[in-house]
């Protein structure tokens, strides 16, 4: 019974933080595509109820490469697509931002930092 009460308290304390989480890294294609290993892309998702300006935000790898200065807006409950080098990586979907710098294939720690 103590475990259940402790879990319920911890879970209820976490709900506001989860509900206001906002923008998260949703998906990463770190190995590229069948066409080219350089066709990497990263998808952000805004789980919040309001649009978010990404101006001044950074997406940075722990080792410093890539270091992507973000800009633009991500609408509430929508995705934001970053494509490496050009807008040819994900056919039929326009990139929201083009970035340079490769993701490591042996593991990469990325941090999404707001302004």
């Amino acid at each position: 019974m103590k475990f259940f009460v402790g879990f319920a308290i911890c879970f209820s304390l976490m709900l506001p933080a989860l509900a206001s989480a906002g923008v998260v890294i949703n998906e990463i294609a770190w190995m590229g595509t069948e066409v080219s290993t350089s066709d990497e892309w990263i998808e952000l998702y805004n789980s919040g109820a309001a649009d978010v300006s990404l101006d001044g935000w950074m997406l940075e790898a722990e080792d410093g490469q890539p270091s992507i200065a973000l800009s633009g807006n991500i609408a509430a409950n929508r995705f934001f697509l970053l494509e490496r080098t050009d807008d040819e990586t994900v056919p039929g979907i326009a990139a929201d931002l083009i970035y340079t710098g490769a993701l490591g294939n042996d593991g990469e720690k990325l941090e999404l930092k707001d302004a």
Side-chain angles (χ1 to χ4, degrees), residues 3-78:
F3 172 78
F4 178 77
V5 172
F7 176 78
I9 291 170
C10 289
F11 185 75
S12 66
L13 291 174
M14 289 180 1
L15 283 178
L18 292 174
S20 63
V23 180
V24 296
I25 300 169
N26 190 61
E27 195 169 355
I28 301 172
W30 55 272
M31 288 186 67
T33 65
E34 290 179 1
V35 174
S36 172
T37 57
S38 295
D39 284 346
E40 299 175 348
W41 53 270
I42 302 168
E43 181 182 79
L44 305 179
Y45 178 68
N46 178 3
S47 63
D51 295 357
V52 174
S53 171
L54 297 175
D55 295 342
W57 287 45
M58 295 293 294
L59 182 60
E60 295 179 317
E62 186 177 63
D63 64 3
Q65 194 56 247
S67 179
I68 305 165
L70 301 176
S71 63
N73 292 309
I74 180 169
N77 298 304
R78 296 284 186 238

Side-chain angles (χ1 to χ4, degrees), residues 39-41 81-99:
D39 284 346
E40 299 175 348
W41 53 270
L81 179 63
L82 295 93
E83 292 186 31
R84 179 180 168 203
T85 310
D86 59 38
D87 195 12
E88 304 295 319
T89 302
V90 183
I93 301 176
D96 294 294
L97 186 74
I98 306 297
Y99 72 93

